[in-house]
Amino acid sequence: MKYDKLFIGGDLSGIQKFLYNITSRKAAVSLKGRSASLAEDMKEIYYQKTKNAVINAGGTVTENDELYCSGGKFFFIANINEANKVAVCQALDECQSSCREYIWKEHHGQLGINISYVAFNVKDDIVNVEGKYGEPPFEGKKKGPGQLWKVVSAGFAQQKNQRFKEYILNNYDNFFGKGSELIMSSERKVCAVTSIEFDAKGLKEADFTIPARGDDEPIIVLPSVKRQIEKGEQLRNDPLRGFRSFKDYATTDGGNKGDTYLAILRMDVDGLGKRFITGFNSLAAYKSFSNQLCLFFEKDVEDHLLNSKVDGTNETYKKYMNVIYAGGDDLFIVGRWDKVIDFAKLIHDETERRFSKEGISISGGVAIVKPNYPIAKAAEMAGEAEDAAKQGEKNAFHMFGKTISWNKQSPYHANEKDFFDHEYAYVEHYKDKFVKYITSYNKDYGFSKSILHKIMLYAELADMNKERMSKGKSPNYSYMWHMSYYLTRFMEKYKGYGNERNETKQEVKKELFGFCLSLRDEHLPKNKGRNLELMAVAARWAELLLQDNNL
């Protein structure tokens, strides 16, 4: 069978480590510049190198053949014939070697590039795929275009662990031969931003310094890092996309620098790879979907959602955070902790609005730290939180050490009366209740923050009890009686609301009594479901908000 098309894919590997492996020196501008540099590298590899290599070898690529280029991956179709098939394939192999050398010189092993391709044809809406990477040919079978992604992805996996093999073999002396002893000598230099050692040849090339800014001292960095910082400085001063330092984001309204927490948010789409392989009946359908996905992550998140008004204010989210990276299906955002959590919910709701019919959901995790905490470690913590959110049903958010579901397919019934769309709605509702009652009724009615601390304590004891039982030890439910006793004592001051002559005070006391009663008798007895666990998340959330307002 003749194959007149090539399905070609590129995978820029190591992106996660590339983005987050950074010191605190010029972290804000370095990260932003690094993100922009990543996008430029992808365009260089795709448009200027891979696509042109195909065309120069006799293949053709139309606008409709360009399927996807975002988030470290690209896919496109080349039209070929029997006369130029070998030449085009050879050009792609040579292009991969050239791209790997380019990536090594730019990033010294932080990133790698793999280019994979497979021949196919389409007849009577049947995709016939040439066998490759251990797969047999799929001729005459009703296989959708997802089989193309499957085969090409297998190529990425096969190449991944040897992506620098050719370059190292072709430059053996630079790595292992004459002059390599300088790498281990006292003359070695290390990039002040990435902590990467310069190789022997790079000792002279790497003598670039970033001028001092404010109290900063000049620093020595890799040439590529110098360009990233310069790009970051350029973006920081851009009137539309400008951003502030991380410490500046960690402020309360009207407060002093660094007087609250910083949040690092990481999110990505659930099961997108599987969706590509199994979810589309045609290449046109895939292209339409990928265009929508790219528009959302690469443009709308920063240009539209970031400029949305924060609830109850005239300020936009842009004041409080910096979208470091938005590409493919990934997001990496740094900013003031409370606004970042709200923004994550906004992203989730917009993703659901746009893509729920496609069966697409998004999960994420947040790490909340002091503004002087090492950004690389905080990004790693956020990654662990994101991974935790993707366990189980996915479509979830992980914060304060717990995973909270956004899944509406299993609505959350707190009790016989209360109904919430999902667990996140439950947590958000009680966070708002705690903040309202403590802010408004602490001074005159004695609704103090102690209730938050007690709920968090009892939730911790419940977790310890679960661990105890997992080890085969007998359960200890004493915390339940203590919790019931505490809530009974806490609401004693509101019990006589019916005898209150002042109508306003009577209504307030009645509301507070009813709230505590529902906690004791309906929400928290016997730790029904996840109520205590989720209520503790709401309490912690409320505690930090009150702390920011010195309450």
Side-chain angles (χ1 to χ4, degrees), residues 7 67 77 120 122 125-127 143-146 148-149 275-290:
F7 184 80
L67 302 176
I77 294 170
F120 74 102
V122 180
D125 294 327
I126 296 175
V127 176
K143 291 285 184 181
L148 299 171
W149 275 268
R275 174 69 170 159
F276 285 165
I277 292 174
T278 63
F280 299 99
N281 295 322
S282 68
L283 290 169
Y286 166 75
K287 182 173 182 178
S288 175
F289 172 77
S290 65

Side-chain angles (χ1 to χ4, degrees), residues 115-128:
I115 296 175
S116 177
Y117 56 88
V118 65
F120 74 102
N121 64 34
V122 180
K123 291 185 178 180
D124 300 324
D125 294 327
I126 296 175
V127 176
N128 302 300

Side-chain angles (χ1 to χ4, degrees), residues 430-453 455 486-487 490-494 508-519 535 539 542 546 551:
Y430 280 95
K431 174 265 295 182
D432 291 338
K433 285 281 190 182
F434 286 134
V435 170
K436 173 188 173 182
Y437 290 158
I438 294 170
T439 301
S440 303
Y441 305 134
N442 184 17
K443 183 177 180 181
D444 295 330
Y445 297 91
F447 200 98
S448 68
K449 286 197 296 185
S450 65
I451 192 171
L452 306 180
H453 303 149
I455 288 174
Y486 169 78
L487 289 170
F490 189 87
M491 64 185 182
E492 279 293 323
K493 58 180 83 72
Y494 314 120
V508 170
K509 288 185 175 182
K510 181 179 179 182
E511 181 178 356
L512 297 179
F513 180 82
F515 177 76
C516 295
L517 186 65
S518 70
L519 292 184
M535 194 72 72
L546 292 165
L551 294 173

Side-chain angles (χ1 to χ4, degrees), residues 82-185:
E82 287 298 312
N84 63 28
K85 178 182 177 183
V86 173
V88 172
C89 292
Q90 184 177 351
L92 285 170
D93 292 338
E94 292 173 355
C95 176
Q96 177 171 254
S97 297
S98 173
C99 288
R100 286 177 173 174
E101 183 172 355
Y102 165 76
I103 287 295
W104 178 273
K105 288 180 178 179
E106 283 293 298
H107 303 294
H108 289 245
Q110 290 180 289
L111 292 172
I113 181 68
N114 300 308
I115 296 175
S116 177
Y117 56 88
V118 65
F120 74 102
N121 64 34
V122 180
K123 291 185 178 180
D124 300 324
D125 294 327
I126 296 175
V127 176
N128 302 300
V129 185
E130 185 179 39
K132 198 173 184 184
Y133 304 114
E135 295 278 8
F138 294 94
E139 297 180 0
K141 298 180 181 179
K142 292 185 178 181
K143 291 285 184 181
Q147 193 62 43
L148 299 171
W149 275 268
K150 183 177 180 181
V151 175
V152 167
S153 295
F156 294 154
Q158 187 182 76
Q159 300 172 38
K160 193 169 185 179
N161 293 329
Q162 297 184 351
R163 61 183 186 266
F164 300 124
K165 178 181 177 180
E166 292 176 69
Y167 183 75
I168 292 174
L169 289 176
N170 293 335
N171 297 272
Y172 184 87
D173 286 344
N174 286 343
F175 287 92
F176 308 109
K178 185 178 180 180
S180 62
E181 65 274 4
L182 288 175
I183 298 176
M184 301 305 295
S185 74

Side-chain angles (χ1 to χ4, degrees), residues 3 17 47 66 77 200 223 270 322 346 402 413 509 527:
Y3 300 98
K17 185 177 180 180
Y47 292 106
E66 297 184 40
I77 294 170
D270 298 319
N322 182 3
L346 180 63
K402 299 294 180 182
H413 294 266
K509 288 185 175 182
N527 193 17

Side-chain angles (χ1 to χ4, degrees), residues 210-465:
I210 302 298
R213 182 187 179 97
D215 296 330
D216 291 342
E217 296 178 359
I219 57 176
I220 300 175
V221 294
L222 284 164
S224 60
V225 172
K226 182 175 186 289
R227 289 192 290 273
Q228 291 163 19
I229 293 177
E230 289 172 344
K231 183 68 175 180
E233 293 283 10
Q234 178 186 342
L235 290 172
R236 175 158 67 176
N237 297 323
D238 187 292
L240 296 178
R241 294 181 176 271
F243 56 91
R244 300 186 289 161
S245 72
F246 295 155
K247 286 187 178 180
D248 286 340
Y249 286 123
T251 62
T252 54
D253 296 328
N256 299 315
K257 281 188 178 181
D259 58 2
T260 188
Y261 291 93
L262 197 68
I264 293 80
L265 171 69
R266 290 173 61 173
M267 303 183 79
D268 73 4
V269 170
D270 298 319
L272 190 60
K274 183 178 180 180
R275 174 69 170 159
F276 285 165
I277 292 174
T278 63
F280 299 99
N281 295 322
S282 68
L283 290 169
Y286 166 75
K287 182 173 182 178
S288 175
F289 172 77
S290 65
N291 284 343
Q292 293 178 53
L293 203 65
C294 290
L295 176 67
F296 178 60
F297 281 97
E298 294 188 352
K299 183 174 176 59
D300 290 349
V301 168
E302 192 160 5
D303 290 351
H304 298 295
L305 294 189
L306 197 63
N307 289 304
S308 301
K309 294 286 182 66
V310 177
D311 287 345
T313 74
N314 290 321
E315 302 289 350
T316 65
Y317 283 102
K318 182 176 176 60
K319 175 183 175 181
Y320 300 101
M321 66 194 70
N322 182 3
V323 177
I324 301 293
Y325 177 75
D329 65 332
D330 286 313
L331 286 166
F332 176 40
I333 297 172
V334 179
R336 180 173 141 175
W337 75 273
D338 54 333
K339 301 302 188 290
V340 167
I341 290 175
D342 292 340
F343 193 64
K345 174 65 162 46
L346 180 63
I347 290 170
H348 167 268
D349 291 349
E350 187 63 17
T351 302
E352 186 176 74
R353 186 183 72 81
R354 295 193 188 197
F355 301 109
S356 61
K357 291 182 179 179
E358 300 282 353
I360 292 296
S361 63
I362 192 168
S363 295
V366 67
I368 297 174
V369 298
K370 285 292 186 180
N372 58 350
Y373 194 83
I375 191 66
K377 181 61 178 176
E380 181 182 332
M381 291 163 58
E384 291 171 354
E386 180 188 35
D387 290 341
K390 286 182 167 293
Q391 302 301 315
E393 294 183 0
K394 301 183 180 181
N395 192 22
F397 191 60
H398 190 90
M399 64 176 177
F400 304 122
K402 299 294 180 182
T403 296
I404 307 164
S405 175
W406 273 318
N407 198 337
K408 289 186 178 181
Q409 294 178 354
S410 52
Y412 191 70
H413 294 266
N415 52 43
E416 289 76 11
K417 300 176 183 178
D418 294 334
F419 173 88
F420 298 89
D421 283 346
H422 41 63
E423 290 180 347
Y424 189 97
Y426 179 82
V427 171
E428 192 172 36
H429 173 80
Y430 280 95
K431 174 265 295 182
D432 291 338
K433 285 281 190 182
F434 286 134
V435 170
K436 173 188 173 182
Y437 290 158
I438 294 170
T439 301
S440 303
Y441 305 134
N442 184 17
K443 183 177 180 181
D444 295 330
Y445 297 91
F447 200 98
S448 68
K449 286 197 296 185
S450 65
I451 192 171
L452 306 180
H453 303 149
K454 288 293 186 180
I455 288 174
M456 288 187 284
L457 172 62
Y458 295 135
E460 185 178 351
L461 292 173
D463 285 343
M464 292 171 62
N465 193 48

